Amino acid sequence: MFTKFIAAYREELIISAFVIGILFILRLITIVAVRKLGRKSGINQARISLICRYVTGTAVILALIIESFIFGAQFRELIVIFSSVFAVLGIALFAVWSILSNVTSGIIMFFNFPYKVGDKISIHDKDFPVEAIIEDIRAFHLYLRLNNGDLITYPNNLMLQKAVSIVEKDAIEESPRDSNSAV
């Protein structure tokens, strides 16, 4: 049974191995570049790992799309499948658009964010002004330690929407530390 499958799809399997190999190499190169950029920029390991998982997920989706073409799927068939999936996802994700906004902001902040863990920042918001030390930057939010020692979470998308200034670089050593903080 297995040998019949290999005999029938020999050419497709060879092309598949080649494509998967190239995508694997591209994924490794991208992950190495992201890790170098993260270390050079002083970004913590948790954020670097998160972006690496995004790269891996994108590579897997790309591999599935390419493999479907290799094994004979027609473009029209894939369009119908993807349009159906995206219609359902669009309706489902409309309810959680703020979560997607925070994840997208987290990715943008990884590549272009002038503030690092340990910096004391001031968020200029007329409704909720904040002066705090960045303790951690996650996919959805930041952990900020207020001057009185309280730990708050602040959504990533608001960090990109509000004016933020650095009060003090790498001030985390001076702040009161919570024993279960995830820095």
Side-chain angles (χ1 to χ4, degrees):
M1 179 80 166
F2 186 67
T3 56
K4 288 182 184 179
F5 176 79
I6 291 176
Y9 292 103
R10 182 180 182 141
E11 184 177 324
E12 288 88 351
L13 290 172
I14 292 170
I15 295 170
S16 293
F18 182 71
V19 166
I20 289 173
I22 288 175
L23 285 174
F24 183 75
I25 291 169
L26 287 174
R27 177 190 157 272
L28 286 177
I29 290 169
T30 305
I31 286 176
V32 167
V34 165
R35 288 190 190 281
K36 278 186 179 180
L37 177 68
R39 277 191 229 109
K40 181 180 173 187
S41 302
I43 297 169
N44 69 3
Q45 188 60 39
R47 289 186 63 215
I48 293 171
S49 296
L50 179 69
I51 298 299
C52 290
R53 280 184 274 169
Y54 291 158
V55 167
T56 300
T58 303
V60 167
I61 290 170
L62 189 59
L64 290 173
I65 292 170
I66 293 172
E67 290 300 314
S68 63
F69 283 122
I70 290 172
F71 280 95
Q74 297 297 317
F75 188 70
R76 278 177 275 150
E77 297 166 345
L78 289 179
I79 291 291
V80 170
I81 291 171
F82 284 122
S83 64
S84 300
V85 168
F86 284 128
V88 170
L89 284 176
I91 292 168
L93 294 178
F94 179 74
V96 292
W97 69 269
S98 65
I99 293 174
L100 291 176
S101 172
N102 284 322
V103 170
T104 304
S105 297
I107 293 171
I108 292 169
M109 287 167 49
F110 178 82
F111 290 106
N112 188 17
F113 193 57
Y115 318 110
K116 307 279 183 267
V117 171
D119 290 350
K120 187 171 189 176
I121 60 168
S122 178
I123 301 171
H124 307 284
D125 184 2
K126 68 176 185 165
D127 298 326
F128 186 65
V130 174
E131 187 169 301
I133 296 174
I134 301 174
E135 284 213 354
D136 198 4
I137 303 172
R138 299 286 176 101
F140 300 106
H141 55 271
L142 284 84
Y143 286 114
L144 302 175
R145 179 73 61 183
L146 298 177
N147 292 334
N148 65 4
D150 290 345
L151 183 67
I152 64 169
T153 60
Y154 200 80
N156 285 344
N157 62 352
L158 290 181
M159 284 298 289
L160 296 180
Q161 294 175 11
K162 305 292 180 184
V164 179
S165 60
I166 297 178
V167 175
E168 184 179 342
K169 278 283 204 190
D170 206 20
I172 202 159
E173 291 81 22
E174 301 169 12
S175 74
R177 300 291 300 217
D178 187 22
S179 62
N180 50 355
S181 75
V183 177

